[in-house]
Amino acid sequence: ILKKIKFIMGEKEKKYDRQLRLWGDHGQQALENARICMINVTATSTEILKNLILPGVGSFVIVDGGRISGEDVGNNFFLDPDAIGQSKSKVLFSFFVLRHNFSLELNPDVKGDYTEEDVNQLLNKNPQFFYSFEVVIVSALDGATQRKLAELLWERKIPLVICYSYGFTGYLRIVVNEHCVVESHPDNAHADLRLLDPFPELIEYANSIDLEQMEKKEHSHVPYLIILYKYLQAWRKENDGQAPKNWKEKRQFKEKVLEGIRKNEHGVQEDEENFEEAAKQVNSALVPYKLPDSLRQMFEDPKCTDVSEESSNFWILANGLKQFVENNDKSLLPLRGSLPDMFSDSESYIKLQNIYKAKAKQDIDLFTSYLCNFGYVNGRLSDQEIKRFCRNAHFLQVFLVNYFCRGRSLSDEYKKISQSVLDGLISEEASDAVWYVMLRCVDLFHTNFSRYPGGCLQELTRSWGVPGLSEAISDDYVQETCRCGAAELHSVASYMGGVAAQEVIKLITSQYVPVTGVYIFNGLKSTSISL
């Protein structure tokens, strides 16, 4: 049995190798446990579904009560002319699961289902149908039904992803009450070295090293972290205990570090890459620590201060982090415990790495002790979940606004125009924000006439209370929107399907920062804008 399990795990690692590097085993497990709902069969929704089946989403349900028309076949090359007149949901399900054993090639791990009921019927007769999904995705749904669905899911805190293509334009909107991300994966995060606030174990190890008494080989393999620590202590002795702060002081500090490179009998500097590396790392390694105001704001949130059995794991962990920081003299976050690559011999690097890992373990144990104050936490939080939270707590400093984001409901969006839309229209003559306005016009026209435009620009801008806006928008945009007539270009649908699937995976895995507003793609210029 163990051999079989290992074989299956090995096969899965091979199959999902590249994505496991992005979101790890735990992210993949979340994806495989997820159940998604896809409403309406369009070229865009088909592309989204394909891009979720391939990485291994657990299961999906297709909801569409319509029949395939000639127009559908023309827009969507996943549909055959032979299918005209048949159920959209059934045909698409058959394509992915039954047709020529296609699923065996696409992904046999994924389970699927479909219903031929109309979404309005489900909302009226069986709204509980939508409660079992991690994410609901809609495409080309009329505005009134869309807002009704959004309101239902908003109350249940189930993310709604709205995505469609309209001619050369693509639209994406994530409607989510609250979404908390532990692993935001920032691109340019500084290593957590604590050189300005060294802990006792690091101080003891660094003080045990005497650079002057070292042999040539040892001297050229001292990790840059130790070099910076040594020169930092010397600098502080000469500067009233202060570390180099501004650009001028850091340049002087770099020069002192480079002067530490030994010279041969001819007065020529030896080839000591570790000292050169130390000089290059001064700016990133000597960054003063400051608990960001945004993190303090999160600590003051009622969901953080008043945790209970109903609280999510995120807020329980946030409360533990709050206690950890408040009981720390320097308001430090838990040490991350990882070291960047550096020029060093293996023995020195491993010793240093073990010191940082041991300190990180101490911080995790202390952090866990605050969690144990809640009797209901026992058994609810795994060691791995706690470890991940501590290791990523630093990234809250960078991504808190997006990291812990409370969204805007769809009904709020439709009541009042976003200031960023107006700013986009005013600040740039050819801003892609204009396509947001045009797509809202399409929605309004369809609501009024149950068909696509035509034109409703004046009515929409009057409802926003922005005089002169309709006149400021060129007729070219109106003509292009009317010319499209809600047709989907599969190239645009394919692009939007990739973007939307990526955002759905972010929501499911609670990793990476999702789009927090409206994303508009302009296929005419191959540009995009987020509002």
Side-chain angles (χ1 to χ4, degrees):
I1 293 173
L2 287 173
K3 285 183 179 179
K4 188 174 182 180
I5 291 172
K6 287 180 180 178
F7 174 78
I8 292 171
M9 292 299 292
E11 289 299 306
K12 183 170 285 189
E13 286 174 2
K14 288 179 185 177
K15 181 176 182 177
Y16 297 128
D17 176 63
R18 286 189 290 179
Q19 62 201 53
L20 288 173
R21 298 166 193 256
L22 292 175
W23 52 71
D25 293 333
H26 56 290
Q28 183 64 30
Q29 190 62 51
L31 187 63
E32 291 176 10
N33 291 337
R35 191 166 183 260
I36 64 165
C37 177
M38 174 66 71
I39 299 175
N40 283 354
V41 175
T42 66
T44 305
S45 67
T46 306
E47 288 287 348
I48 297 171
L49 190 56
K50 179 200 72 176
N51 290 326
L52 290 172
I53 291 173
L54 285 170
V57 70
S59 63
F60 63 87
V61 177
I62 303 169
V63 177
D64 196 324
R67 299 281 166 176
I68 296 174
S69 66
E71 183 180 352
D72 295 323
V73 173
N75 286 339
N76 189 345
F77 60 57
F78 285 98
L79 303 177
D80 287 335
D82 294 342
I84 291 175
Q86 298 180 37
S87 163
K88 288 184 178 181
S89 56
K90 182 179 180 180
V91 168
L92 185 61
F93 172 77
S94 301
F95 180 85
F96 280 128
V97 179
L98 302 175
R99 180 183 174 188
H100 306 307
N101 290 325
F102 189 78
S103 67
L104 297 179
E105 294 182 63
L106 200 60
N107 198 335
D109 298 334
V110 179
K111 297 178 181 178
D113 200 357
Y114 70 95
T115 176
E116 297 181 41
E117 284 192 78
D118 182 76
V119 64
N120 278 300
Q121 292 177 333
L122 288 170
L123 284 171
N124 293 329
K125 298 179 181 178
N126 185 23
Q128 294 81 8
F129 170 84
F130 298 100
Y131 295 168
S132 63
F133 299 104
E134 271 68 35
V135 180
V136 176
I137 306 162
V138 303
S139 184
L141 190 64
D142 69 271
T145 306
Q146 194 165 266
R147 288 192 291 275
K148 187 176 180 180
L149 176 64
E151 187 176 343
L152 176 74
L153 299 177
W154 182 269
E155 294 172 356
R156 305 287 299 191
K157 296 186 179 178
I158 299 172
L160 172 65
V161 177
I162 304 166
C163 183
Y164 60 88
S165 57
Y166 192 97
F168 284 95
T169 309
Y171 174 97
L172 172 71
R173 166 80 153 94
I174 299 175
V175 185
V176 57
N177 191 317
E178 177 182 288
H179 181 64
C180 302
V181 183
V182 174
E183 298 170 88
S184 56
H185 301 276
D187 293 326
N188 301 306
H190 294 301
D192 185 19
L193 302 178
R194 301 286 169 94
L195 287 175
L196 296 177
D197 298 290
F199 46 94
E201 295 83 357
L202 176 61
I203 295 171
E204 181 182 356
Y205 176 69
N207 289 340
S208 70
I209 296 173
D210 189 343
L211 295 175
E212 300 300 324
Q213 300 301 317
M214 283 184 163
E215 297 291 334
K216 177 181 175 180
K217 183 178 180 181
E218 289 180 308
H219 193 265
S220 63
H221 286 81
V222 176
Y224 80 76
L225 195 156
I226 299 299
I227 296 171
L228 290 179
Y229 174 85
K230 290 286 190 182
Y231 280 86
L232 181 60
Q233 303 318 304
W235 175 280
R236 279 177 158 164
K237 286 180 181 178
E238 298 172 1
N239 294 274
D240 299 324
Q242 298 297 311
K245 297 177 181 177
N246 52 45
W247 179 84
K248 181 180 179 181
E249 290 180 352
K250 287 186 177 180
R251 187 184 65 179
Q252 294 171 352
F253 184 79
K254 289 179 185 179
E255 290 171 355
K256 286 185 177 292
V257 171
L258 292 172
E259 287 171 5
I261 299 176
R262 287 182 176 177
K263 298 180 180 179
N264 60 24
E265 63 272 17
H266 304 295
V268 179
Q269 285 188 336
E270 299 279 4
D271 184 18
E272 294 190 322
E273 293 182 39
N274 54 337
F275 277 80
E276 293 175 2
E277 186 178 43
K280 290 177 181 177
Q281 296 295 329
V282 167
N283 289 337
S284 60
L286 304 183
V287 177
Y289 173 82
K290 180 180 178 295
L291 192 71
D293 294 336
S294 52
L295 189 53
R296 296 183 189 278
Q297 184 180 357
M298 191 187 80
F299 287 159
E300 293 170 3
D301 192 287
K303 288 198 170 187
C304 182
T305 56
D306 305 325
V307 292
S308 66
E309 292 185 10
E310 286 72 39
S311 299
S312 68
N313 285 3
F314 176 88
W315 287 112
I316 292 173
L317 290 164
N319 181 279
L321 184 64
K322 178 177 185 290
Q323 294 185 68
F324 183 95
V325 170
E326 289 176 346
N327 288 282
N328 187 307
D329 293 337
K330 298 179 181 178
S331 297
L332 296 172
L333 293 166
L335 183 71
R336 204 178 309 156
S338 58
L339 289 181
D341 292 334
M342 58 186 73
F343 193 86
S344 169
D345 63 275
S346 298
E347 184 180 353
S348 300
Y349 185 82
I350 291 171
K351 278 184 180 177
L352 202 55
Q353 194 175 51
N354 288 336
I355 289 169
Y356 273 80
K357 283 183 176 179
K359 173 57 178 172
K361 178 67 167 58
Q362 289 179 19
D363 285 355
I364 290 172
D365 291 342
L366 179 59
F367 176 84
T368 304
S369 70
Y370 295 122
L371 297 178
C372 289
N373 293 336
F374 308 115
Y376 49 82
V377 173
N378 295 332
R380 177 171 167 179
L381 295 166
S382 68
D383 293 339
Q384 286 300 317
E385 190 172 1
I386 294 170
K387 184 178 179 180
R388 277 197 298 272
F389 190 89
C390 290
R391 189 170 63 234
N392 290 281
H394 294 73
F395 302 144
L396 284 168
Q397 301 172 38
V398 183
F399 286 101
L400 188 64
V401 173
N402 285 328
Y403 177 103
F404 141 74
C405 59
R406 289 198 175 113
R408 190 182 185 206
S409 71
L410 203 61
S411 59
D412 288 342
E413 177 187 339
Y414 274 64
K415 288 175 185 174
K416 185 178 180 182
I417 186 173
S418 165
Q419 187 61 42
S420 68
V421 175
L422 289 176
D423 292 343
L425 292 169
I426 295 168
S427 63
E428 188 181 338
E429 184 177 347
S431 170
D432 287 334
V434 70
W435 292 110
Y436 171 82
V437 180
M438 302 316 299
L439 292 174
R440 286 288 302 276
C441 286
V442 168
D443 182 46
L444 180 62
F445 188 93
H446 191 275
T447 300
N448 290 343
F449 302 106
S450 298
R451 62 181 179 84
Y452 288 102
C456 272
L457 184 58
Q458 287 82 4
E459 183 180 345
L460 178 70
T461 54
R462 276 200 304 271
S463 71
W464 283 348
V466 186
L469 181 59
S470 61
E471 289 76 8
I473 295 175
S474 169
D475 285 345
D476 292 342
Y477 294 107
V478 179
Q479 291 171 14
E480 174 62 24
T481 303
C482 295
R483 184 179 73 87
C484 292
E488 288 185 286
L489 301 176
H490 209 112
S491 56
V492 178
S494 179
Y495 172 80
M496 291 305 299
V499 172
Q502 175 178 279
E503 296 305 310
V504 171
I505 291 172
K506 289 179 185 179
L507 294 170
I508 290 171
T509 61
S510 291
Q511 295 189 44
Y512 298 92
V513 181
V515 171
T516 53
V518 172
Y519 173 82
I520 300 291
F521 171 67
N522 179 359
L524 293 168
K525 297 192 298 181
S526 293
T527 57
S528 62
I529 189 171
S530 184
L531 303 167

